[in-house]
Amino acid sequence: MKALWQLLSPLYKQRLGGLLLALLLSVITLAAGVSLLGVSGWFLTGAALALAWETFNLFAPSALVRGFSFIRIVSRYGERVLGHETTLRLLADLRGVVFRRLLPLDVAQLAQYRDGDLVARLTSDVDALDTVYLFAIAPVITGLLIGIVVSLVLGAYLPLAGLVLFLCVLLMTLILPYVLARQSREPGLQVQQTVAQMREATVQAVQAHSDLLMLGAGERARREFAEQCLEVALARRRQVNIAANGKAMVQLLSGLSIVLILYWGAEPVQQGDLTGPIWAGLVLAVLGLFEIAGPIMRGASRLGSAAAAAQRIVALSQTKASIVDPQESQALAAQGEIVFSQVHYAYPRRAVEELNKSALAGKGPEVLKGINLTVQVGERIAIIGKSGAGKSSLLHLLLRFDDPDRGQISYAGVPIQQARLSELHQRIILLAQDAPVFLGTIRSNLLIGHAQADEASMWQALEHARLAEFVRSLPSGLDTWTGETGRTLSAGQARRLCLARALLSSAQVLVLDEPTQGLDQEAEQAFLTDLLAATRGRTVIMVTHADLPIGAVDRVLEMRDGQLWSQE
């Protein structure tokens, strides 16, 4: 639970106003509900007795019933809307925090985590934390406050019954939730870990679908996934059983309170010290108080998952970036030649989880073996070679996503390790093979390249990317909605939009990693031909498997055996 509070307390402070208002509405809702039942019991019993032999004022309780009903409806609606809105904003804040801490991590650090595990930490682990406030903190505080008030009111008429009710409230709001939360730790941890494994298995199955079918391993993969599904189902059943046991205990506490109120109230009613309508009102008010028990028990049974999720997120977010700005940085010129000097690099291996989840098991074999390369200002070069030869690694080292094991890379005469990362990325921009089109408009996608760009600059970038004519033909032009992952655009149009976004930046060096991946041959050749005019005056370093049109680049280099070889 320490990790849970450590993770959420700073975010709760940021949203304290909304949380307190939602809590106030929750208190008002429960108070109105308890009061409604209590007044209803008083009203109905008094009305029944009035028909028999007593007189009873029907107007006051009738007005109170309507008033409390209206208050309960309005406050519950406000509490649900505000509570859920604040919680969703908290989750959005948390995702932003985790993602910002994840971005600076280098390849070696990210290699400790599988793709599906990272996705799980950013999605299902964060989602598991939405129960903490809505089903744990708010109901517990609300139940405790209203429980104390009802116990005092009951104690004014029946002192022993008030004391017993107060003890039952403590059991319901503090002791039982604590016990259930401890019992839910193991199944909660199992749920979060297995869900992460399932996400990883899904990612691997999609990526290696053809290999699984070719090797006849599809049935085995399905069987292992089904076993994981069963593990999650059994763990969730344990969580449900824990919540059910808690509700059963609350029902016993509720029944005990009612029986004792009836038992200790019978004699005062007979002696005339307590009227029948008030006695009935007290009974129903106590029943209304235990209405809050359901959310409390559900929240307590899910705290195990929330605590496990918090531990996984804290472990990720506390990882310190190894690629950081130097203490004393050197400024980079706007333009300059790029020089690789005896650069060696090997891929990091994944962490050996059985030994130490926070340490790498070392490096694999070298993929770059003393690379020497000089790229002049305005020069366009293409790097070809087999998959896995180290072409993309060369680009990542230039962008300082990782550092070489040996050797040095410089820009305009300054070693990039001595420059600020933000300044380096202003000089060099990457257009990756999986560069995404984000959900939004064409305009919003372009503004990612240059947030202050005016409309004329956007149209110029679209012209250079040969997409302006298409955008002008759209009914909304730049404000046309692209859809999820750019589904309203063809593959070629999406790639050109990403190119326009890169061209809109002020970067003088454009690094392209398989920019035509996924395009048909005609679209591929058209894109590469237009690239020559679009990048005029800029330095271009492109990794590709495509057949290059004549004149598209100045030099072609082949990555082979960890070295670069010139292609005539």
Side-chain angles (χ1 to χ4, degrees):
M1 297 301 172
K2 181 180 178 181
L4 192 63
W5 182 247
Q6 176 185 350
L7 185 64
L8 293 179
S9 58
L11 299 176
Y12 282 168
K13 290 179 182 178
Q14 294 177 11
R15 301 284 178 182
L16 187 60
L19 292 174
L20 289 178
L21 184 54
L23 178 62
L24 176 62
L25 291 173
S26 178
V27 171
I28 293 173
T29 300
L30 182 60
V34 170
S35 300
L36 177 62
L37 280 175
V39 171
S40 297
W42 172 45
F43 176 40
L44 294 174
T45 306
L49 293 177
L51 293 175
W53 62 85
E54 293 186 6
T55 59
F56 186 75
N57 183 359
L58 300 177
F59 297 103
S62 177
L64 288 174
V65 167
R66 294 184 181 184
F68 285 132
S69 299
F70 181 77
I71 292 172
R72 186 172 184 271
I73 292 171
V74 173
S75 60
R76 180 176 290 277
Y77 177 79
E79 181 265 330
R80 292 295 172 88
V81 171
L82 186 60
H84 283 81
E85 180 189 8
T86 305
T87 300
L88 291 175
R89 290 185 183 276
L90 280 169
L91 299 186
D93 294 342
L94 180 57
R95 284 193 174 93
V97 169
V98 175
F99 196 74
R100 282 193 296 272
R101 293 181 181 177
L102 186 65
L103 278 177
L105 302 185
D106 60 38
V107 176
Q109 291 172 308
L110 291 176
Q112 300 179 63
Y113 305 98
R114 297 183 180 274
D115 293 342
D117 185 45
L118 284 175
V119 172
R121 292 178 193 239
L122 285 169
T123 54
S124 60
D125 283 349
V126 174
D127 289 339
L129 300 176
D130 70 348
T131 61
V132 176
Y133 178 77
L134 291 177
F135 294 103
I137 297 177
V140 165
I141 296 176
T142 300
L144 186 60
L145 290 177
I146 302 302
I148 292 173
V149 173
V150 175
S151 298
L152 291 174
V153 173
L154 178 61
Y157 293 97
L158 303 171
L160 289 178
L163 177 62
V164 170
L165 178 62
F166 176 71
L167 295 177
C168 290
V169 168
L170 291 181
L171 284 170
M172 177 183 70
T173 58
L174 298 178
I175 298 175
L176 268 178
Y178 175 77
V179 173
L180 297 184
R182 290 184 62 87
Q183 291 178 349
S184 68
R185 282 183 181 179
E186 184 182 345
L189 180 61
Q190 186 175 3
V191 166
Q192 298 306 124
Q193 290 180 340
T194 308
V195 167
Q197 293 170 4
M198 291 171 65
R199 287 182 181 272
E200 174 61 22
T202 302
V203 171
Q204 289 182 343
V206 171
Q207 293 176 343
H209 180 66
S210 57
D211 294 332
L212 289 172
L213 294 179
M214 181 179 66
L215 297 173
E219 183 58 36
R220 177 182 175 183
R222 283 192 291 270
R223 184 171 61 253
E224 291 177 350
F225 192 79
E227 291 173 355
Q228 291 173 333
C229 289
L230 180 60
E231 288 181 18
V232 173
L234 292 176
R236 291 198 184 281
R237 179 178 294 179
R238 289 177 61 189
Q239 289 180 315
V240 171
N241 289 338
I242 290 171
N245 291 337
K247 291 180 181 179
M249 290 298 299
V250 170
Q251 291 298 322
L252 290 176
L253 295 176
S254 174
L256 175 64
S257 300
I258 297 302
V259 168
L260 292 179
I261 293 173
L262 294 174
Y263 176 75
W264 282 322
E267 184 176 347
V269 169
Q270 289 178 351
Q271 295 176 353
D273 297 330
L274 179 66
T275 66
I278 292 179
W279 188 29
L282 291 174
V283 171
L284 290 182
V286 170
L287 282 176
L289 173 63
F290 284 94
E291 175 189 348
I292 197 69
I296 292 177
M297 298 305 115
R298 287 196 299 272
S301 67
R302 296 177 187 175
L303 277 180
S305 291
Q311 289 177 354
R312 287 164 48 83
I313 293 173
V314 167
L316 178 64
S317 62
Q318 287 185 341
T319 303
K320 301 296 183 181
S322 58
I323 305 299
V324 296
D325 288 333
Q327 291 184 349
E328 296 183 3
S329 62
Q330 296 187 35
L332 291 179
Q335 296 186 11
E337 66 178 10
I338 297 169
V339 178
F340 289 78
S341 301
Q342 286 296 312
V343 172
H344 293 255
Y345 182 72
Y347 293 124
R349 292 196 180 104
R350 293 190 184 277
V352 180
E353 297 182 2
E354 292 79 5
L355 298 177
N356 188 346
K357 292 186 178 181
S358 63
L360 289 174
K363 291 272 191 171
E366 282 191 338
V367 292
L368 303 181
K369 304 174 182 178
I371 294 292
N372 291 298
L373 172 64
T374 300
V375 184
Q376 301 295 333
V377 175
E379 186 179 13
R380 290 187 288 268
I381 68 171
I383 302 175
I384 62 175
K386 296 180 180 179
S387 296
K391 306 183 299 298
S392 296
S393 297
L394 192 70
L395 303 185
H396 291 172
L397 292 178
L398 174 59
L399 288 154
R400 212 178 164 218
F401 294 161
D402 201 358
D403 285 332
D405 299 325
R406 284 181 289 160
Q408 180 177 282
I409 304 170
S410 64
Y411 177 87
V414 177
I416 62 174
Q417 288 176 298
Q418 296 178 15
R420 295 178 61 220
L421 287 170
S422 59
E423 193 171 356
L424 177 66
H425 295 156
Q426 288 173 359
R427 306 290 186 269
I428 306 173
I429 191 168
L430 171 67
L431 178 59
Q433 59 181 315
D434 55 354
V437 174
F438 295 96
L439 179 64
T441 63
I442 293 176
R443 184 191 302 273
S444 64
N445 271 273
L446 290 173
L447 288 175
I448 294 172
H450 186 3
Q452 285 75 42
D454 56 24
E455 195 160 309
S457 300
M458 295 184 201
W459 283 113
Q460 185 178 17
L462 291 171
E463 288 282 0
H464 288 160
R466 296 292 181 92
L467 195 61
E469 184 178 350
F470 166 72
V471 175
R472 286 193 181 98
S473 69
L474 299 172
S476 301
L478 289 173
D479 296 314
T480 301
W481 196 255
T482 61
E484 187 77 32
T485 65
R487 60 182 177 82
T488 61
L489 306 174
S490 68
Q493 290 165 346
R495 199 59 49 86
R496 288 176 184 274
L497 178 57
C498 293
L499 175 61
R501 185 169 63 201
L503 295 174
L504 195 60
S505 74
S506 60
Q508 294 301 306
V509 180
L510 184 59
V511 175
L512 301 101
D513 189 1
E514 299 289 358
T516 59
Q517 181 76 25
L519 301 183
D520 58 43
Q521 187 173 7
E522 182 179 355
E524 176 184 274
Q525 292 300 302
F527 182 89
L528 292 172
T529 300
D530 293 337
L531 188 64
L532 178 64
T535 59
R536 193 174 305 278
R538 302 197 193 199
T539 303
V540 176
I541 304 175
M542 176 171 56
V543 165
T544 184
H545 286 97
D547 294 328
L548 296 169
I550 297 175
V553 295
D554 302 317
R555 279 193 290 163
V556 178
L557 304 173
E558 182 182 2
M559 180 72 74
R560 187 172 69 247
D561 299 327
Q563 295 285 342
L564 285 174
W565 304 86
S566 178
Q567 297 289 302
E568 300 297 336

